[in-house]
Every structure is written in C-alpha cells, then in structure tokens.
Amino acid sequence: MKAVVWHGKADVRVEQVPDPFIQNPGDVIIKVSLTAICGTDLHTYEEINPNMQRGSILGHEFMGEVIETGPEVTRVQKGDRVVVPSPIACGGCYFCKNAMQALCDNSNPNAVAAEKIYGFAPAGIFGSSTLMGAFPGGQAQFVRVPYGDVGPFKVPQKLSDEQVLFLGDIFPTGYMAAENCHIKSGDTIAIWGAGPVGQFALRSALLLGAERVIMIDRIKSRLELSSLRTPKDKVFALNFEEIDIDLALKELTGGRGPDACIDAVGLEAHGKGSWFPYEQLKQALHLNQDPSTVLREMIKACRKGGTISIPGLYETLVDKFPMGSVFHKGLHIQAGQPHVHRYLKPLLTLIENEALDPSFVISHRMNLDEAPLAYDLLSKRDEHCMKVVMRPWS
C-alpha cells in the first residue's frame, strides 16, 4: 500500500509499504477514505519531537471503511463507515471507564519508556512517537486499528467525509479545551492560536455560552476566518505583531482580564520579546525545553481565579514558567490530549443538527501522493494554508 513515511527533518515520502494485517483478535483493518495533516504532525516533520522513529507512518486523523475484523470484534463489521479516534483506548481500564480515554492504561506498548519521563504513561496514539506506542498512522491506504469494539465510530451516510473526519481529533480537542474553561454566562474567553484547534475552541466556547471570545494570532487569514459564521459582536481578533496583547485584553475586559485563556498553539508558539529568541535556540538545539511564550502571556493576562486551558501539545520541560503568578493569582490549569471517545456522539449530533459544519477549516484538498508538498506548505505557515485533507485512492 501507499503511505506517508517520515525519514527525518523536513523529509516525508510517499512509499510502498506492507499492508497491515490482523495481529490481535480485537483488531480491525480500515480502508482509508480521507486523512488529514495535524499540527502535531508538523512537530514530527520539523523534528521538534525527539522520540520519532525514522520509517514511521504518519497521521492520526483519518476515517474510512471497515474491510476486515478480528474474531472478537462485534460492534463493527465489514462495510461500516467509521471515524477513528486519535488516542487508542482499551475500554476496560479505570481511565476508559471514567471517560478519560486519552489516559488509557493498556493501549501503549511503550508505557515503561513514557513513565520514565512523565511518571505515568498516556494512551497510545496513531502515527506518533515511541513514547506514544509507535503505532503506524492513518496517512496511508490502510490502517490496523486495535480495540476495534472501542475506537471506530460509525457515522451516517448522509454526512460527507469532510463533515465528520475531524470528529477523530481536532473538533473534540477544541471542544474539550472550551469545556475545561467551565464557561458561565457572561464569560470572556481568550484563545491564543487561530489555527484549526483554535477555530473549534472558539465555536465551542460560543456554543457553551461564552459572551465574548478573543482570538490572538499573527496570520491575518486565520484571524479573518474567526469571524466566519460567528456573531460579529461576540468575536474579537487581535494580531500580536501589531498590538500589545496584555494591554488590549485589559481594555476589552474592563481591566479584570479574561475569565479563561486557551493555549491552542503549544510548543510551536511564536512571540515577541527578549525571551522568544532564547527559547527558539534551546528548542532548535534539542535541549529538552519547550517554549513558554504563550503560557507566560496567558498566565499574566488571565483574571485572578481564572482558568488556563491547554490543548496545545507540550513534550518535555518548560523553561521560565511563572509558577509564582499561578500561585498568587489562584489560577486553575487543565491540560491534556482530548478524550475523543467521550465527545463522538454529542459532537456528531451538533453536526447533524447543523449547529456546526467542521469542513469550514479545510483550505487544501490533495491526493496522498502530494503529501510532501502539503507538509511543506504547512511548515512554511503559508498565509492561505489552514488545513490539508488527503485522499489515498485518487
């Protein structure tokens, strides 16, 4: 089959690799109909993630048709059209039973290595590093999906691939980020990063009752997208290269600060100020330091007693973290990979009821053979490249 294979920094290739096969009785094989490139894939492309294996198949956002099932699979069958959650969950451990599937105890075969760094291991994730299980990803024509009775989620034929694909990752990521803000009527939410996750966090915050959402970015086309099909009096866009964000947030909130702040960027944050070049250098030299540009800005700007929500990915240590501000302002911090399985049904209902069409974030539609071009466009932060989806069979 064809698959997108990582060979090192800025080096992805579409290659012929062996087809996946049933390895365990709970496995299913998916024929991929649509897949996407996520911001986390860019971390790998740019070799920010130090634990990636050369030769790995990329991608954790994909969907398709079930073409083969293991003997113990009962909930899906051949011919079912499914979306596959990016975290892999067993369905039976403490965390899965409590709807925290991204923390599954049993799906990560490299748990021991992850425990040495994080204390406890997160769930396995498709197309990611050795610390997340090194599972072959979904930017391919076929994928083996473990725990076939737990992960693959059947979607109705009346909805297009583009409408439901993002149920597997970025839509739940943005929704959980907003939900973690514990939004109350009248709240103001500030979001750093107007990329795909930020866009879903924005719309989710409004659906959950936020009075205003302030989007912060430097790419004008992304800030403009924030106003697409959103109430004009509820959404404000700020370009951090043009204004002082801290001052602007104080002015917009009567001096109090946002009730909650969302980091929809993570370790690839851009910024200005004296610390930013220093952090970029440490990251480039693989000194195990994730930049804290956005985290520092959020912690400074957030109102006292407010919430810091972090869906953006961080891998290792964060330098110059203002713990004193967190303590003295009494801030609440919630972070983590999305518990995608928890949100599949309610978010599908939102799509079916036309409350939100997730396909609005798609800027480029390509064939799998064009993956190297797609990664290059995204890596260059092309002004008009928001989200790339690829068809493996075109």
Side-chain angles (χ1 to χ4, degrees):
M1 69 170 183
K2 289 194 295 187
V4 180
V5 180
W6 184 76
H7 286 276
K9 186 173 182 179
D11 185 2
V12 298
R13 309 171 197 173
V14 180
E15 299 179 340
Q16 289 291 331
V17 301
D19 289 355
F21 57 91
I22 299 293
Q23 298 180 24
N24 298 302
D27 290 349
V28 302
I29 304 298
I30 306 295
K31 180 181 179 182
V32 179
S33 60
L34 192 65
T35 185
I37 300 175
C38 189
T40 309
D41 297 319
L42 278 184
H43 300 158
T44 299
Y45 181 75
E46 295 166 353
E47 209 174 16
I48 294 173
N49 184 344
N51 299 293
M52 199 71 184
Q53 291 180 328
R54 293 175 187 268
S56 296
I57 298 173
L58 298 176
H60 57 267
E61 202 164 37
F62 62 96
M63 64 172 296
E65 177 188 350
V66 176
I67 62 167
E68 189 177 356
T69 63
E72 293 183 359
V73 176
T74 60
R75 293 189 181 178
V76 296
Q77 58 187 359
K78 292 180 183 179
D80 284 345
R81 180 168 171 254
V82 298
V83 169
V84 180
S86 53
I88 302 168
C90 74
C93 70
Y94 168 86
F95 297 99
C96 288
K97 288 180 178 178
N98 286 278
M100 294 182 283
Q101 293 88 350
L103 305 176
C104 175
D105 260 342
N106 297 320
S107 65
N108 189 341
N110 295 329
V112 173
E115 288 167 0
K116 291 179 180 178
I117 296 176
Y118 303 129
F120 293 92
I125 296 179
F126 291 100
S128 192
S129 70
T130 55
L131 295 178
M132 306 301 163
F135 288 91
Q139 292 171 14
Q141 291 181 314
F142 300 100
V143 184
R144 179 182 75 92
V145 177
Y147 304 104
D149 274 344
V150 181
F153 178 70
K154 289 187 280 189
V155 290
Q157 293 294 332
K158 66 179 181 179
L159 297 174
S160 70
D161 284 0
E162 291 186 356
Q163 287 177 291
V164 296
L165 172 65
F166 303 133
L167 284 171
D169 184 35
I170 57 172
F171 191 3
T173 301
Y175 192 90
M176 189 172 108
E179 188 178 71
N180 281 345
C181 293
H182 308 291
I183 295 170
K184 302 183 295 297
S185 177
D187 277 359
T188 295
I189 311 299
I191 301 175
W192 275 254
V197 169
Q199 297 292 339
F200 284 114
L202 156 64
R203 286 155 178 82
S204 298
L206 293 173
L207 288 170
L208 290 169
E211 179 64 28
R212 292 185 301 174
V213 180
I214 303 167
M215 299 295 288
I216 301 163
D217 207 304
R218 64 189 177 95
I219 300 177
K220 293 181 179 179
S221 61
R222 296 188 172 196
L223 290 171
E224 290 169 357
L225 185 62
S226 302
S227 64
L228 178 68
R229 300 172 193 163
T230 57
K232 306 303 180 189
D233 60 334
K234 288 180 174 284
V235 179
F236 298 81
L238 304 180
N239 188 324
F240 69 77
E241 290 188 337
E242 297 176 353
I243 61 174
D244 184 311
I245 294 300
D246 187 55
L247 179 60
L249 290 175
K250 282 185 170 66
E251 291 176 348
L252 285 168
T253 59
R256 189 176 70 176
D259 298 285
C261 298
I262 296 175
D263 177 358
V265 185
L267 57 78
E268 283 197 281
H270 287 74
K272 56 185 179 180
S274 59
W275 286 117
F276 182 58
Y278 162 79
E279 291 181 332
Q280 278 192 312
L281 177 61
K282 294 192 76 172
Q283 188 179 46
L285 295 174
H286 296 291
L287 296 178
N288 291 326
Q289 298 288 344
D290 292 345
S292 58
T293 301
V294 165
L295 290 175
R296 286 197 304 272
E297 287 186 359
M298 287 171 44
I299 290 167
K300 182 180 181 182
C302 191
R303 72 160 169 84
K304 293 181 288 186
T307 298
I308 302 296
S309 175
I310 310 173
L313 177 68
Y314 288 88
E315 289 281 5
T316 56
L317 304 175
V318 172
D319 199 6
K320 304 297 182 292
F321 185 82
M323 191 63 205
S325 295
V326 173
F327 179 84
H328 289 290
K329 293 177 69 177
L331 299 180
H332 305 265
I333 297 179
Q334 291 199 249
Q337 296 280 3
H339 306 303
V340 172
H341 303 67
R342 178 198 299 177
Y343 298 102
L344 290 168
K345 288 183 180 179
L347 296 189
L348 176 62
T349 299
L350 289 177
I351 298 171
E352 290 181 307
N353 293 341
E354 300 183 357
L356 196 153
D357 182 350
S359 64
F360 79 94
V361 297
I362 299 173
S363 61
H364 290 67
R365 297 164 175 85
M366 296 184 172
N367 301 328
L368 195 69
D369 290 327
E370 299 175 283
L373 172 61
Y375 271 94
D376 184 59
L377 281 172
L378 286 164
S379 181
K380 290 177 178 176
R381 307 303 188 270
D382 182 274
E383 172 75 18
H384 304 291
C385 190
M386 167 69 79
K387 185 73 174 180
V388 178
V389 296
M390 301 180 292
R391 292 201 175 274
W393 297 94
S394 300

